[in-house]
Every structure is written in C-alpha cells, then in structure tokens.
C-alpha cells in the first residue's frame, strides 16, 4: 500500500462528483442542495474534521483541539516545571481550524474559513 502525502490545508476544491445533480442538469432545487451539502460534510468528516454545528443550509466544521491549560499547569507543578517545556511546545504548535460550508444556488460548495485563533 502506497501512502499519499496530504497537505494540511483544504487541498483540492470541494465539488461534488460529475453527475451528482442528476440527468436533468440545470439549477438544483433545495433537496439537491442539501444532498450536496451532506456530501461535502461527509468528505470532510472522512478527512478528520468534526461537525460543530449544522443547519439545513450550512455546516460549521472544526479540526484540532484547544490546549487544556489547567491540566498542563497541574502537570507542570507536579513535575517541578519540567512539563512546562511540553506545554510551551503544545501552545506554539497547536491549531484549531474552523470552516463554514454552504451550497449556493448553482450547487457549488462555498467554504468560508475562520481567522486563526
């Protein structure tokens, strides 16, 4: 099995596969738009994202976990400040990413990224 390197960002544009809208072509109705949003959310969940909130027209996804500062403060005190090195490293490298996915009237998936926290 050959492993493929995945970029940390979104990578390829997120659009449904050809023929997903059915044979009629044209502008998708609300039900088709919900199906496209479901497809986009499922693709991100398979990539390690989790759903933070969801409505019929929008989904907010998040990746990463915030640092538990209380736990790390206790570990730092118990280990006579040795754990502080790990804590500083985690704070410097930790990222929490959020993105809102919506589907426009033409059936295109729009992703709005939140500013870095």
């Amino acid at each position: 099995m050959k492993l493929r390197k995945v970029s940390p960002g979104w990578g390829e544009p997120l659009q449904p596969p050809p023929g997903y809208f059915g044979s009629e072509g044209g502008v998708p109705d609300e039900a088709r738009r919900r199906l496209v949003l479901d497809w986009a959310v499922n693709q991100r969940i398979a990539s390690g994202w989790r759903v933070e909130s969801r409505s019929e027209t929008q989904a907010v996804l998040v990746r990463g976990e915030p640092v538990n500062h209380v736990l790390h403060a206790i570990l730092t005190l118990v280990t006579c400040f040795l754990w502080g090195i790990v804590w500083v490293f985690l704070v410097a490298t930790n990222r929490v990413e959020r993105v809102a996915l919506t589907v426009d009237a033409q059936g295109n998936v729009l992703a709005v990224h939140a500013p870095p926290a």
Side-chain angles (χ1 to χ4, degrees), residues 65-80:
E65 293 284 334
V67 175
N68 186 346
H69 292 289
V70 174
L71 173 66
H72 289 288
I74 292 169
L75 288 173
T76 300
L77 292 175
V78 168
T79 61
C80 298

Side-chain angles (χ1 to χ4, degrees), residues 3 10-11 16 19 32 52 63 72-73 76-77 82-85 92 98:
L3 295 177
W10 277 87
R32 288 275 186 200
E52 186 174 59
R63 179 169 61 178
H72 289 288
T76 300
L77 292 175
L82 289 176
W83 190 259
I85 298 167
R98 278 188 178 74

Side-chain angles (χ1 to χ4, degrees), residues 21-75:
F21 296 116
S23 59
E24 73 274 355
V27 179
D29 59 353
E30 288 296 319
R32 288 275 186 200
R33 289 173 60 195
R34 278 191 224 114
L35 284 175
V36 171
L37 183 61
D38 288 341
W39 178 84
V41 169
N42 287 335
Q43 292 296 311
R44 290 300 165 210
I45 289 172
S47 299
W49 293 78
R50 64 185 185 281
V51 178
E52 186 174 59
S53 68
R54 172 73 192 262
S55 69
E56 289 186 5
T57 59
Q58 184 182 41
V60 178
L61 304 172
V62 65
R63 179 169 61 178
E65 293 284 334
V67 175
N68 186 346
H69 292 289
V70 174
L71 173 66
H72 289 288
I74 292 169
L75 288 173

Side-chain angles (χ1 to χ4, degrees), residues 102-117:
T102 57
V103 179
D104 66 6
Q106 288 76 35
N108 299 317
V109 178
L110 304 175
V112 178
H113 296 272

